[in-house]
Amino acid sequence: MMKLKNDISDKAVGRLSLYRRLLQELLENGRSQVFSHELAIRAGCTPAQVRRDIMNLEVLGSPAKGYEIQKLMAGISSVLDSDAPQKVGLAGVGNLGRAILAYFSGRTPQFVITAAFDSDPTKVNRVIHGCRCYPVDELVSVVREENIQVGIVAVPAAEAQQVVDEFCRGGVLGLMNFAPVRVRVPVGVYVENLDVMAALERVAFFARRLSAVRGE
Amino acid sequence: MMKLKNDISDKAVGRLSLYRRLLQELLENGRSQVFSHELAIRAGCTPAQVRRDIMNLEVLGSPAKGYEIQKLMAGISSVLDSDAPQKVGLAGVGNLGRAILAYFSGRTPQFVITAAFDSDPTKVNRVIHGCRCYPVDELVSVVREENIQVGIVAVPAAEAQQVVDEFCRGGVLGLMNFAPVRVRVPVGVYVENLDVMAALERVAFFARRLSAVRGE
DNA sequence: TTCACGCTGTGAATTGTTTCACATAGTGTA
DNA sequence: TACACTATGTGAAACAATTCACAGCGTGAA
Ligand SMILES: NC(=O)c1ccc[n+]([C@@H]2O[C@H](COP(=O)([O-])OP(=O)(O)OC[C@H]3O[C@@H](n4cnc5c(N)ncnc54)[C@H](O)[C@@H]3O)[C@@H](O)[C@H]2O)c1
Ligand SMILES: NC(=O)c1ccc[n+]([C@@H]2O[C@H](COP(=O)([O-])OP(=O)(O)OC[C@H]3O[C@@H](n4cnc5c(N)ncnc54)[C@H](O)[C@@H]3O)[C@@H](O)[C@H]2O)c1
């Protein structure tokens, strides 16, 4: 019944992830303390925002020295990371799927892409970037057996809902969806849509808007 | 001095992009009208949200028939698209860069990736997915000459700032950044950060949170 | 030891976004 | 023609995120 560290917003979690990477970089540059305004500049936000976000952690800074980087990182990790590395499954080993396998392979102690799935017989039963690739028919059983909790969807739009349904039947609790559609999931499953098409349309729109402002 | 259709929020623009794709699908299924609640279900939002977003357009619906799909799509396009297809440049033809080239190649009338850039001599001076690949030293001049207004950054994190600086010197007004860092840009340049690492950390975090809620 | 400084932690204010709720109007029916 | 129905368009309310602003404190300087 105790209140967990749960009431952190979506966006705040994303910023904590970013702060952690920035702190790692600072650490590698030999720094051991940091002020909110330094992190803010690197993260592209305000010092007040940084301090608010740090309030979600059980870490205190000192006015004279700022925050201890080691402590901050530990605080962030205790919120973001689970005790054991989290298992991730990937559906769709096409252009994007392979890029994602390469990107996460080895780089992230907190995540491991344990299994990949594809419907193309020429792609399955191989190991790609250290990850075993299974036929998609085995998705539910492998996800269940391996206790995979997070799914990444990188199949064509038309197949996305079906693959999502199977991930959910396998018991995943979170999904990252790259297909340019919105998928339906049971309550209790978190979905993050990474809509690259919409993102590029936003960029183009605001670029145009800014040029209009300049031009006038 | 007239007020342009400018006061549309970031998020609303993203949703309009999504609506357009959903409408295209409906059209292909033979539909010609649509109600706000139908779009809302497909877009994963509320009917009120859909109607608010449509208020940004100069399109009216009728209570009895809903919205005319053709009119809605035309309204969205008149806000999102520029008159001519917009030229886009891509820096970094690695795993992700190639996936992006494949993704946008031919698929999007409103965007064309006109030029790609890489520092690796084995990758340049070829055509990949229909796009000419230049040495990165030529980035500024090609962007300027071709009048490329949008840049996509898919180089390693350590190179991102430098590439962004060059895009800006070339005169781009918008950037989509896949590198897991925040880059500095001159005022008047719009940056959209697509932070896949942060997105996956969010998914993992909320998946864990939901499982805790369930488990209790 | 005392003082001045500048940063933290946070309540309050502000800004931005989403939802509510209802007056209004178009359509089908009788 | 008149009525019942249902969905739109939107002002206002609710909610969420960000920024302001300042009390309080720890440090280093003198
Ligand atoms: N390539 C990109 O940069 C990019 C960017 C953003 C979004 N996306 C989206 O990501 C998805 C994948 O894109 P891509 O470029 O890798 O496409 P792709 O065609 O290269 O790869 C799709 C893969 O999914 C597999 N597949 C098809 N149906 C399947 C099923 N039912 N179960 C399992 N696997 C199946 C195919 O065999 C193929 O290997 C698409 O929805 C696309 O819109 C791609
Ligand atoms: N692969 C993914 O799925 C993925 C996902 C999210 C983010 N990212 C990010 O996208 C970026 C690229 O990822 P990737 O997996 O394609 O890496 P990659 O190593 O496969 O490709 C990087 C490419 O950039 C080129 N390059 C290096 N320095 C350059 C420079 N100064 N100018 C121009 N080109 C240069 C390299 O020659 C290479 O072709 C990285 O920042 C990565 O963190 C990748």
Side-chain angles (χ1 to χ4, degrees):
Chain A
M1 195 49 58
M2 73 165 264
K3 187 158 147 249
L4 297 163
K5 302 163 193 163
N6 271 347
D7 47 358
I8 307 188
S9 79
D10 183 335
K11 293 195 175 171
V13 171
R15 284 191 301 266
L16 289 175
S17 161
L18 173 62
Y19 298 156
R20 176 158 63 177
R21 276 172 273 147
L22 298 171
L23 291 166
Q24 180 60 39
E25 212 177 302
L26 285 166
L27 212 54
E28 282 162 10
N29 291 347
R31 299 284 305 275
S32 60
Q33 283 110 21
V34 69
F35 291 112
S36 63
H37 63 261
E38 298 177 290
L39 258 185
I41 281 181
R42 287 167 175 76
C45 64
T46 64
Q49 179 86 84
V50 170
R51 296 201 300 276
R52 273 271 174 239
D53 288 335
I54 291 174
M55 281 176 69
N56 289 311
L57 281 27
E58 273 147 25
V59 176
L60 296 182
S62 100
K65 295 287 193 168
Y67 302 91
E68 271 206 52
I69 293 180
Q70 300 271 14
K71 293 242 173 77
L72 257 193
M73 290 180 74
I76 294 173
S77 295
S78 90
V79 171
L80 293 195
D81 298 345
S82 76
D83 303 332
Q86 226 155 342
K87 290 188 183 180
V88 180
L90 169 73
V93 189
N95 293 305
L96 181 62
R98 282 192 304 269
I100 288 171
L101 279 175
Y103 183 53
F104 285 105
S105 176
R107 190 188 304 257
T108 50
Q110 67 272 36
F111 305 121
V112 190
I113 300 188
T114 303
F117 304 93
D118 207 291
S119 58
D120 182 341
T122 69
K123 287 180 178 155
V124 304
N125 296 318
R126 313 197 276 134
V127 174
I128 301 177
H129 294 294
C131 174
R132 172 86 191 278
C133 185
Y134 300 86
V136 73
D137 326 293
E138 298 175 21
L139 196 154
V140 177
S141 63
V142 171
V143 165
R144 204 170 270 159
E145 275 157 31
E146 299 251 5
N147 195 29
I148 289 172
Q149 296 203 330
V150 171
I152 301 177
V153 178
V155 298
E159 320 287 336
Q161 183 62 56
Q162 176 190 332
V163 161
V164 163
D165 291 343
E166 285 170 21
F167 267 130
C168 293
R169 276 205 291 135
V172 303
L173 298 165
L175 287 164
M176 184 156 75
N177 175 35
F178 283 93
V181 293
R182 290 301 179 272
V183 291
R184 267 158 291 110
V185 294
V187 289
V189 176
Y190 179 87
V191 181
E192 176 91 25
N193 292 295
L194 269 167
D195 192 333
V196 176
M197 190 69 222
L200 190 58
E201 302 224 73
R202 274 206 295 265
V203 173
F205 176 81
F206 286 104
R208 216 141 16 81
R209 193 170 78 76
L210 289 168
S211 81
V213 170
R214 271 195 198 168
E216 308 295 285
Chain B
M1 196 50 58
M2 74 167 264
K3 186 156 149 254
L4 296 163
K5 302 164 195 162
N6 270 346
D7 48 358
I8 307 188
S9 79
D10 185 337
K11 294 193 174 173
V13 171
R15 283 191 302 266
L16 289 176
S17 162
L18 173 62
Y19 298 156
R20 175 158 64 177
R21 276 172 274 147
L22 298 171
L23 291 166
Q24 180 59 40
E25 210 177 303
L26 285 167
L27 212 54
E28 282 162 10
N29 291 348
R31 299 284 305 275
S32 61
Q33 283 111 20
V34 70
F35 292 112
S36 62
H37 63 262
E38 297 177 290
L39 258 184
I41 280 181
R42 287 166 174 74
C45 64
T46 63
Q49 179 87 85
V50 170
R51 295 202 301 276
R52 272 276 171 231
D53 288 334
I54 290 174
M55 281 177 69
N56 289 311
L57 279 27
E58 273 148 26
V59 176
L60 295 182
S62 101
K65 294 287 193 171
Y67 302 91
E68 269 205 53
I69 293 180
Q70 301 270 14
K71 292 242 172 77
L72 257 193
M73 290 179 74
I76 294 173
S77 296
S78 90
V79 171
L80 293 195
D81 298 345
S82 76
D83 303 331
Q86 225 154 343
K87 290 189 180 178
V88 180
L90 169 72
V93 189
N95 293 305
L96 181 61
R98 281 192 304 271
I100 288 170
L101 278 176
Y103 183 52
F104 285 105
S105 177
R107 189 187 305 257
T108 51
Q110 68 271 37
F111 306 121
V112 190
I113 301 187
T114 303
F117 305 94
D118 206 292
S119 58
D120 182 340
T122 69
K123 287 178 179 156
V124 303
N125 296 319
R126 313 196 275 136
V127 174
I128 302 177
H129 293 294
C131 173
R132 171 87 191 279
C133 185
Y134 299 86
V136 73
D137 325 294
E138 297 175 22
L139 196 153
V140 176
S141 62
V142 172
V143 165
R144 204 169 271 158
E145 275 157 32
E146 298 251 7
N147 195 30
I148 289 172
Q149 295 201 330
V150 171
I152 301 177
V153 177
V155 300
E159 320 286 337
Q161 183 62 55
Q162 175 191 331
V163 161
V164 164
D165 292 343
E166 285 169 22
F167 267 129
C168 293
R169 276 204 291 135
V172 301
L173 297 166
L175 287 164
M176 183 157 74
N177 174 36
F178 284 93
V181 294
R182 290 302 177 272
V183 291
R184 268 159 291 110
V185 293
V187 290
V189 176
Y190 179 87
V191 181
E192 177 91 25
N193 293 294
L194 268 166
D195 191 333
V196 176
M197 189 73 224
L200 191 57
E201 303 223 74
R202 274 206 295 265
V203 173
F205 176 82
F206 287 105
R208 217 140 17 81
R209 192 169 80 75
L210 289 169
S211 82
V213 170
R214 271 195 197 168
E216 307 297 287

